[in-house]
Amino acid sequence: MKFRRSERLIDMTNYLLEHPHQLVSLTYFSERYGSAKSSISEDLAIIKETFEHRGIGTLQTVPGAAGGVKYQVRMTEEDAQPIINQLCELIASPNRLLPGGYLYMTDILGDPMIVKQVGRLFASAYADKEIDVVMTVATKGIALAYAVANYLNVPVVIVRRDSKVTEGSTVSINYVSGSAKRIQTMVLSKRSLEEGSRVLIVDDFMKAGGTVNGMISMLEEFNAALVGIAVLVEAEKAEERLVDDYLSLVRLSDVDVKEKKINVTHGNYFTNKQVEGKS
Amino acid sequence: MKFRRSERLIDMTNYLLEHPHQLVSLTYFSERYGSAKSSISEDLAIIKETFEHRGIGTLQTVPGAAGGVKYQVRMTEEDAQPIINQLCELIASPNRLLPGGYLYMTDILGDPMIVKQVGRLFASAYADKEIDVVMTVATKGIALAYAVANYLNVPVVIVRRDSKVTEGSTVSINYVSGSAKRIQTMVLSKRSLEEGSRVLIVDDFMKAGGTVNGMISMLEEFNAALVGIAVLVEAEKAEERLVDDYLSLVRLSDVDVKEKKINVTHGNYFTNKQVEGKS
């Protein structure tokens, strides 16, 4: 076995993983290794097969002079199931319960491995959508937003509760928080979102959806388009859900503070993802 | 060439990249592929050579029954130089200047590719240190903190300006902001940091170092140990720097709001990294 090919396979794997959702031309690889395009094509076929076999993702081939390959994360239901199961188990732990029925999730959101997995799941669900930017609101959703954006290779835009001098001029909107029915404010730096951007909203938790709804109003201010909404945890008890079409990994169906019990089920990831895929 | 080995090389590369700073036993790989340990050893030798040759990182081999390999990101000065140059160029752009001499950096911090590179640089500088957790303060530093933590495979802890119900009980401290000399507060969830943790502080910007100093005081409250401080940009004009030992990628040496000029040089990454390495 030639060392040359081994080295190419290892380096190309790293390169593709580091540049997801980006078209890489055969010429680029051919020049990088001083190898014929036919060899590069063979390498890519092996990488594609392995990526798909091992659940790493897929290589999309774009033929023609301007063509090349594009790595996309792709998770099968078989790969996703154990991750979501694990998340459910983690979240159902009774010592997460805080006064007022809130849930402590800081440790989960602080674990880069978990955050990465959640990012993979969401990026995989939206891999076929045209997305220009991932939006979230400070602070808890930020890590998840970056994890998704990493795999989709798009920038992150962070909506804030208060404006800061370092943001430059901002657009500010008022919205009604869904559960508490209070008027709240959110701001976004004017420079940070281009008109007409196609936006995926990512957040850690959704109750009635007031905050997500606020972000949707913000999108309107920027003439941006909503492509999807992805949340890690949704609370079921929202009688008046303000948002319909979203993806969730985990659903809190019942939180009993007195009995210290949290009931957790799968979110709508598997059911809604298919709908997403069809549209 | 056997397909078997190709597949192993590709999948092992992905696996190692996804599990940095984690000891993976030969047995694990041997069972994963149903291959002899001798073949796995040969594969790892090829991967190690390629990783080092291509600047991806290094594989540390731990011999013995409990041994295995550990992937660590490792950047040579040659790889780091162009990244820091590019950062300097980006930051020196005059249209970043905001009223009051502040700099707009939201676009830089919102770009996952840049954030990842910064994460690689810092993780590489602290690869040999024992680090249990990366700490930052909300909001701007969060993305950088996760990027570093991803490569070091440790959790992130986020200090906040205000306490939130979802954090549970918190420890709160007052500190003096270095430049404005105002008393400010920061809080950290009690559960989020274990006693005795070894902490790397990461932030996007350091002027006099008041905020970083506040985080150091917070560490004392948790009996945690400071291992290092890494900032993307430092402002030079800090006559009374409150913090001495830190790593920076970019130094703002002069911001002239009237002339719309920003003077930018390399931070102390190359000079201080060596000192770090020796200790």
Side-chain angles (χ1 to χ4, degrees):
Chain A
M1 154 165 186
K2 278 194 285 179
F3 180 71
R4 221 142 189 160
R5 165 148 290 168
S6 305
E7 188 178 358
R8 283 202 310 261
L9 290 175
I10 294 164
D11 189 58
M12 282 166 98
T13 298
N14 175 62
Y15 190 90
L16 291 165
L17 293 173
E18 290 275 316
H19 299 83
H21 280 258
Q22 188 179 310
L23 194 67
V24 187
S25 67
L26 292 197
T27 314
Y28 174 81
F29 281 133
S30 152
E31 283 170 5
R32 186 174 171 104
Y33 309 115
S35 306
K37 282 196 190 172
S38 55
S39 310
I40 300 292
S41 282
E42 281 169 42
D43 297 343
L44 289 169
I46 302 172
I47 293 175
K48 182 181 164 73
E49 195 167 331
T50 306
F51 273 23
E52 286 169 4
H53 177 212
R54 293 287 175 179
I56 299 169
T58 183
L59 290 193
Q60 247 190 304
T61 316
V62 179
V69 285
K70 201 199 268 184
Y71 158 63
Q72 290 188 323
V73 62
R74 211 42 85 84
M75 278 184 123
T76 61
E77 198 165 324
E78 214 185 320
D79 296 325
Q81 203 88 46
I83 297 172
I84 297 182
N85 289 345
Q86 193 213 350
L87 281 169
C88 287
E89 223 172 283
L90 258 174
I91 289 169
S93 155
N95 58 17
R96 300 204 167 276
L97 263 181
L98 296 172
Y102 290 94
L103 274 199
Y104 182 83
M105 301 219 301
T106 307
D107 58 331
I108 295 176
L109 297 171
D111 183 326
M113 286 295 156
I114 297 178
V115 167
K116 226 193 231 177
Q117 296 282 34
V118 174
R120 277 176 73 87
L121 284 164
F122 286 143
S124 170
Y126 291 100
D128 293 329
K129 301 277 180 177
E130 232 185 275
I131 290 167
D132 301 315
V133 64
V134 172
M135 176 185 269
T136 192
V137 67
T139 323
K140 300 253 191 210
I142 296 178
L144 297 177
Y146 274 88
V148 179
N150 261 328
Y151 284 110
L152 295 178
N153 203 3
V154 297
V156 174
V157 151
I158 302 170
V159 176
R160 305 177 58 106
R161 306 286 183 177
D162 52 347
S163 79
K164 269 219 150 193
V165 277
T166 49
E167 296 279 348
S169 42
T170 55
V171 173
S172 149
I173 63 148
N174 295 314
Y175 69 101
V176 183
S177 83
S179 22
K181 293 248 167 17
R182 260 187 328 189
I183 301 282
Q184 298 196 281
T185 305
M186 51 171 75
V187 299
L188 181 59
S189 164
K190 254 188 175 169
R191 292 199 205 181
S192 66
L193 186 61
E194 267 177 63
E195 277 222 359
S197 297
R198 296 176 53 82
V199 179
L200 172 64
I201 290 178
V202 171
D203 211 353
D204 62 317
F205 194 85
M206 182 168 79
K207 219 166 173 177
T211 309
V212 167
N213 224 22
M215 284 191 266
I216 296 174
S217 308
M218 187 62 93
L219 292 185
E220 286 162 15
E221 293 295 323
F222 284 82
N223 284 319
L226 177 68
V227 180
I229 300 161
V231 296
L232 172 56
V233 180
E234 62 163 314
E236 200 196 33
K237 247 204 340 229
E239 312 78 24
E240 317 167 44
R241 174 88 68 202
L242 299 165
V243 173
D244 297 317
D245 196 16
Y246 61 90
L247 221 54
S248 69
L249 299 187
V250 177
R251 178 178 290 141
L252 284 189
S253 55
D254 204 16
V255 176
D256 189 332
V257 185
K258 233 172 145 188
E259 299 285 329
K260 290 227 167 214
K261 258 191 74 177
I262 306 172
N263 247 325
V264 160
T265 58
H266 279 195
N268 65 14
Y269 184 78
F270 295 115
T271 43
N272 253 28
K273 197 171 81 103
Q274 266 126 27
V275 178
E276 286 287 331
K278 267 186 227 145
S279 71
Chain B
M1 154 164 181
K2 279 195 287 177
F3 179 70
R4 222 147 183 159
R5 164 147 291 169
S6 305
E7 190 180 355
R8 283 202 310 261
L9 290 175
I10 294 164
D11 188 57
M12 281 166 97
T13 297
N14 174 63
Y15 190 90
L16 291 166
L17 293 173
E18 291 274 316
H19 299 82
H21 278 258
Q22 189 178 310
L23 194 67
V24 187
S25 67
L26 292 196
T27 314
Y28 175 82
F29 282 134
S30 153
E31 283 170 4
R32 186 175 172 104
Y33 309 115
S35 306
K37 281 194 191 173
S38 55
S39 311
I40 300 293
S41 283
E42 280 169 42
D43 297 343
L44 289 169
I46 302 172
I47 293 175
K48 181 182 164 72
E49 194 167 332
T50 306
F51 274 23
E52 285 169 4
H53 178 212
R54 294 286 175 181
I56 298 168
T58 184
L59 290 193
Q60 247 190 304
T61 315
V62 179
V69 286
K70 200 198 268 184
Y71 158 62
Q72 289 188 322
V73 62
R74 210 42 83 87
M75 279 184 121
T76 61
E77 199 164 322
E78 214 184 319
D79 296 326
Q81 203 87 46
I83 298 172
I84 297 182
N85 288 345
Q86 193 213 349
L87 281 169
C88 287
E89 224 173 280
L90 259 174
I91 289 170
S93 153
N95 59 18
R96 300 203 167 275
L97 262 181
L98 296 172
Y102 290 95
L103 275 199
Y104 183 82
M105 301 219 303
T106 307
D107 57 331
I108 295 176
L109 296 171
D111 183 326
M113 286 295 156
I114 296 177
V115 167
K116 228 194 232 176
Q117 297 281 36
V118 174
R120 276 177 73 85
L121 284 166
F122 286 143
S124 169
Y126 291 99
D128 292 329
K129 301 277 181 177
E130 230 186 276
I131 290 168
D132 301 315
V133 63
V134 172
M135 176 185 269
T136 192
V137 66
T139 322
K140 300 253 190 210
I142 295 178
L144 297 178
Y146 274 88
V148 179
N150 260 326
Y151 284 110
L152 294 178
N153 203 4
V154 297
V156 175
V157 151
I158 302 170
V159 176
R160 306 177 57 107
R161 307 286 183 179
D162 51 348
S163 79
K164 270 216 149 196
V165 276
T166 49
E167 296 279 349
S169 42
T170 54
V171 172
S172 149
I173 63 146
N174 294 314
Y175 69 100
V176 183
S177 83
S179 22
K181 294 249 168 12
R182 259 186 328 187
I183 299 282
Q184 298 196 282
T185 305
M186 52 171 75
V187 298
L188 181 58
S189 165
K190 255 190 174 169
R191 291 199 206 182
S192 65
L193 186 61
E194 266 177 64
E195 277 222 358
S197 297
R198 297 178 52 84
V199 180
L200 172 64
I201 290 179
V202 172
D203 211 354
D204 62 317
F205 194 85
M206 182 169 78
K207 222 168 171 175
T211 309
V212 167
N213 224 22
M215 283 191 266
I216 296 173
S217 306
M218 188 62 94
L219 292 185
E220 287 161 15
E221 293 295 323
F222 284 81
N223 285 320
L226 176 69
V227 180
I229 300 161
V231 297
L232 173 56
V233 179
E234 62 162 315
E236 198 196 32
K237 250 214 323 241
E239 312 79 21
E240 316 165 46
R241 175 89 68 204
L242 298 166
V243 173
D244 297 317
D245 197 15
Y246 60 91
L247 222 54
S248 69
L249 300 187
V250 178
R251 178 178 289 142
L252 285 190
S253 54
D254 204 17
V255 176
D256 189 332
V257 184
K258 234 172 148 186
E259 298 286 328
K260 289 224 167 215
K261 260 192 74 178
I262 306 172
N263 248 325
V264 160
T265 58
H266 279 196
N268 65 13
Y269 184 77
F270 295 115
T271 42
N272 254 28
K273 197 170 82 101
Q274 267 126 25
V275 178
E276 286 287 332
K278 267 186 231 146
S279 71

